[in-house]
């Protein structure tokens, strides 16, 4: 009985070993198929992702490149737009403004003795002061630049300007308008030197640059008794307002 049972066990073991060697056992087991299939899918998927993904990425990359090209083209277009922007309404307005400003400057001339009338009148207040008035009698706007260059009789020195009176912009006169300058003739406390009485005044005009010739001078009439002045003689810049001219 023991020999009968031993033989089947050995036989079964041999059969099992033979089945394992020829692979027939694996075909009967369903668990053997999913692993290779899973491996194949896993191997295929990255490839598909690689192709599809890279292709998509490549396409995206290409689109990105194309997008970059478009962006660059747009940027290029945008870059050229500012140049074209010079011809935009704002650019046109700015250009027209510049031309208008230049045109306005070109149509203006210097105020001088040929296109103005000049009067010199002593005032009661402030003491020892005189007011110069220049009226534009020409047909164009004129500029009163800097300050008047005064000369009483044959004096050999030029009265200094009052720096604090310098305006922020050039005093420009339209036809018929007037500009002003105040003259401080002498020190109220008598501290001035070389005091003398003058009967003649020459008013010189400056050009576009300081101390340049602005054209013919003016010879305003002085009071019959003359005008007294001393070494403290000063004059304001040309101003648009009479009261401003007499505050210095």
């Amino acid at each position: 009985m023991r020999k009968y049972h031993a033989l089947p066990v050995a036989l079964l073991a041999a059969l099992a070993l033979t089945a394992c060697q020829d692979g027939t056992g694996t075909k009967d087991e369903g668990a053997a198929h999913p692993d290779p299939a899973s491996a194949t899918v896993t191997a295929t998927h990255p490839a598909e992702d690689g192709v599809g993904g890279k292709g998509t990425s490549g396409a995206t990359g290409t689109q990105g490149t194309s997008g970059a090209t478009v962006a660059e083209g747009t940027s290029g277009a945008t870059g050229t737009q500012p140049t074209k922007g010079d011809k935009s309404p704002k650019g046109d307005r700015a250009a027209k403004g510049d031309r208008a400003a230049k045109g306005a400057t070109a149509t203006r001339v210097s105020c001088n003795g040929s296109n103005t009338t000049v009067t010199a009148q002593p005032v009661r207040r402030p003491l020892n002061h005189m007011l110069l008035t220049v009226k534009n009698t020409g047909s164009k706007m004129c500029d009163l630049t800097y300050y008047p260059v005064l000369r009483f009789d044959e004096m050999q020195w030029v009265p200094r300007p009052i720096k604090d009176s310098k305006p922020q912009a050039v005093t420009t006169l339209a036809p018929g308008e007037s500009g002003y300058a105040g003259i401080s003739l002498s020190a109220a406390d008598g501290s001035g030197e070389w005091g003398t009485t003058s009967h003649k005044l020459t008013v010189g005009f400056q050009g576009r640059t300081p101390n340049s010739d602005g054209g013919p001078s003016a010879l305003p009439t002085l009071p019959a008794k003359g005008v007294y002045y001393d070494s403290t003689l000063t004059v304001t810049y040309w101003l648009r307002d009479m009261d401003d001219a007499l505050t210095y």
Side-chain angles (χ1 to χ4, degrees):
M1 291 296 291
R2 292 178 181 174
K3 290 181 181 179
Y4 178 80
H5 287 291
L7 288 173
V9 171
L11 181 60
L12 288 173
L15 290 173
L17 179 62
T18 304
C20 291
Q21 287 177 348
D22 62 11
T24 56
T26 57
K27 291 182 181 179
D28 295 335
E29 296 178 2
H33 290 286
D35 290 338
S38 176
T40 304
V41 171
T42 305
T44 305
H45 236 3
E48 289 177 357
D49 288 343
V51 175
K54 287 181 182 178
T56 306
S57 301
T60 305
T62 305
Q63 289 175 357
T65 305
S66 300
T69 305
V70 172
E72 288 176 3
T74 305
S75 300
T78 306
T80 56
Q81 283 175 358
T83 304
K84 295 180 180 179
D86 294 340
K87 296 182 180 180
S88 66
K90 290 184 180 179
D92 289 342
R93 285 196 295 270
K96 288 179 181 178
D98 290 342
R99 288 195 295 269
K102 290 179 181 178
T105 305
T107 57
R108 296 205 308 262
V109 296
S110 295
C111 300
N112 54 46
S114 67
N115 55 16
T116 64
T117 57
V118 182
T119 58
Q121 183 65 43
V123 295
R124 293 183 179 181
R125 294 286 184 276
L127 292 175
N128 305 330
H129 275 64
M130 186 165 66
L131 178 68
L132 278 182
T133 303
V134 176
K135 183 177 181 179
N136 183 357
T137 57
S139 59
K140 297 181 178 180
M141 297 181 69
C142 69
D143 291 334
L144 281 170
T145 51
Y146 306 107
Y147 52 89
V149 180
L150 305 180
R151 186 182 184 188
F152 285 97
D153 293 330
E154 301 301 324
M155 66 189 301
Q156 300 300 310
W157 55 282
V158 177
R160 66 184 182 278
I162 301 172
K163 293 182 179 180
D164 290 344
S165 67
K166 184 177 181 179
Q168 293 183 349
V170 173
T171 298
T172 300
L173 305 179
E177 290 185 334
S178 297
Y180 307 91
I183 302 174
S184 177
L185 295 166
S186 59
D189 58 3
S191 60
E193 300 177 337
W194 319 317
T196 185
T197 298
S198 174
H199 294 85
K200 178 183 177 182
L201 172 62
T202 302
V203 178
F205 298 87
Q206 301 185 60
R208 301 293 179 186
T209 57
N211 302 317
S212 62
D213 185 7
S217 299
L219 298 171
T221 302
L222 295 180
K225 64 178 182 179
V227 173
Y228 178 85
Y229 72 92
D230 63 23
S231 60
T232 64
L233 178 66
T234 56
V235 64
T236 68
Y237 281 73
W238 290 114
L239 301 169
R240 292 191 60 84
D241 188 86
M242 180 190 304
D243 292 334
D244 288 345
L246 294 175
T247 56
Y248 299 94

